[in-house]
Amino acid sequence: MADNELESAFQHQYITTNQVRLHYVTQGEGPLMLMLHGFPEFWYSWHHQIPVFAQDYKVVALDMRGYNDSDKPQDVSAYRMVELIKDVKGVIQGLGYDQCILVAHDWGGAIAWQFAYAHPEMLQKLIIMNLPHPAKFQEALRSNPQQMMRSWYIGFFQVPMLPELMFQANDYRAIASMFSERATNKSAFSPEDLEAYKDAAAKRGALTAMINYYRSNLDMLLQPKDWGILDVPTLLLWGEDDFALGKELTYGTKDHVRNLELHYLSQCSHWIQQEQPELVNQYMRTFLMG
């Protein structure tokens, strides 16, 4: 099937939870597989995975609050991690499930790690792509000069309005270039893909909402915490050419996750599920069958 035929099978729906109306795309029936995207993406970043896993699951790819067609609360505090965790819990329960397989990338991965610690009983399995365990990320932001330099944008995003103006300039060129110029496999993103990401970011209030994730959770990123051992079976997939997060952030993850499977993908950047979808899907399917 061509991509447009596959996407015609996607159903666009809304769910209201935790005082926000969230848009999602769904396909398939069965156990729930919930997908959380990162910055500056939206549900579309999972378009290579949705039809594949819809054969066995009810796949739900969420637009996180503040993104694309979901509500965009204006208050910075609306994007604190505690609210994002409530969103995920509310979506699972609102769809009529007690548990799900949670699949997440980038900021979605940050939320997924935190959700797994808060509500391990609601997860059958956890799949995270290119976002380290929070203990490893916090440690690196305090003691790894190379990672501190890579994460310079977190500080820049604290500045009012300037990041928004930068992303808006030249018809949202910076949004498109994050994918087209930072990808190892540049052919992974068609002109249509780049326009889709620009269009999502251009929706009224979206840019500020997206950046408010960083503004609202700076203390969480920097403050150390005793994380303990996570019991949820976890698959961590990592594109080795990640421009924002060093591979060394994955080292020692086994100290925090009892049942961990870790795979590195070479010739692959941060945008792992879009650059190497076949390999990502293969690792996911093998993990889910185990």
Side-chain angles (χ1 to χ4, degrees):
M1 289 173 80
D3 280 355
N4 58 352
E5 289 180 77
L6 289 171
E7 287 174 31
S8 69
F10 296 168
Q11 293 180 291
H12 292 259
Q13 298 184 6
Y14 289 86
I15 186 168
T16 299
T17 182
N18 193 24
Q19 300 181 308
V20 289
R21 184 173 182 254
L22 302 176
H23 169 259
Y24 64 93
V25 164
T26 185
Q27 188 178 356
E29 294 299 332
L32 177 62
M33 178 182 285
L34 181 61
M35 296 179 160
L36 308 180
H37 64 80
F39 175 91
E41 302 173 273
F42 65 113
W43 72 263
Y44 184 76
S45 60
W46 300 108
H47 69 278
H48 294 299
Q49 284 70 44
I50 297 168
V52 172
F53 291 96
Q55 299 167 39
D56 302 297
Y57 299 93
K58 179 179 178 65
V59 181
V60 170
L62 204 59
D63 277 340
M64 306 298 296
R65 67 162 61 198
Y67 281 85
N68 194 40
D69 291 328
S70 288
D71 280 356
K72 302 164 184 64
Q74 292 188 351
D75 195 335
V76 176
S77 65
Y79 300 90
R80 291 193 65 78
M81 183 57 74
V82 64
E83 301 302 333
L84 306 175
I85 291 171
K86 286 179 189 174
D87 287 354
V88 175
K89 181 181 181 183
V91 167
I92 295 168
Q93 294 177 333
L95 291 169
Y97 291 84
D98 298 319
Q99 280 192 320
C100 77
I101 292 159
L102 191 57
V103 183
H105 171 251
D106 185 78
W107 252 107
I111 298 163
W113 280 120
Q114 299 263 357
F115 184 85
Y117 276 93
H119 301 289
E121 74 287 351
M122 296 186 74
L123 296 184
Q124 292 168 284
K125 291 191 173 183
L126 178 64
I127 300 173
I128 293 186
M129 303 177 197
N130 280 74
L131 201 289
H133 186 283
K136 304 305 296 181
F137 197 31
Q138 289 172 339
E139 181 185 311
L141 286 176
R142 292 195 309 275
S143 60
N144 181 334
Q146 193 174 13
Q147 186 56 52
M148 291 177 196
M149 288 176 65
R150 282 199 187 103
S151 299
W152 69 271
Y153 59 90
I154 296 175
F156 174 60
F157 285 172
Q158 306 307 312
V159 179
M161 289 314 299
L162 193 58
E164 286 93 324
L165 292 171
M166 180 202 74
F167 280 119
Q168 284 172 357
N170 299 319
D171 186 31
Y172 294 82
R173 183 182 180 280
I175 294 285
S177 67
M178 284 185 69
F179 300 98
S180 62
E181 294 175 19
R182 296 289 195 169
T184 303
N185 173 17
K186 294 180 170 41
S187 66
F189 296 97
S190 70
E192 292 77 18
D193 293 337
L194 301 179
E195 288 301 309
Y197 286 116
K198 286 163 60 175
D199 288 346
K203 293 188 177 176
R204 181 179 291 183
L207 268 182
T208 294
M210 291 153 64
I211 297 167
N212 278 345
Y213 278 67
Y214 293 91
R215 292 171 175 149
S216 194
N217 292 291
L218 185 63
D219 57 340
M220 180 205 72
L221 289 171
L222 298 177
Q223 287 174 2
K225 175 180 170 179
D226 180 12
W227 284 96
I229 307 295
L230 185 65
D231 277 321
V232 178
T234 302
L235 171 65
L236 179 57
L237 298 178
W238 199 272
E240 292 186 319
D241 298 342
D242 194 314
F243 53 88
L245 300 164
K247 179 181 175 180
E248 69 277 3
L249 298 184
T250 64
Y251 303 162
T253 304
K254 282 183 182 291
D255 296 339
H256 302 280
V257 183
R258 199 176 310 280
N259 184 352
L260 176 72
E261 187 176 318
L262 171 59
H263 296 284
Y264 297 107
L265 282 71
S266 61
Q267 274 78 57
C268 186
S269 82
H270 183 74
W271 314 115
I272 179 169
Q273 75 271 35
Q274 300 178 77
E275 282 194 56
Q276 294 204 16
E278 292 83 5
L279 190 52
V280 164
N281 294 351
Q282 179 185 320
Y283 279 135
M284 285 177 62
R285 191 166 291 288
T286 303
F287 172 70
L288 292 170
M289 290 168 61

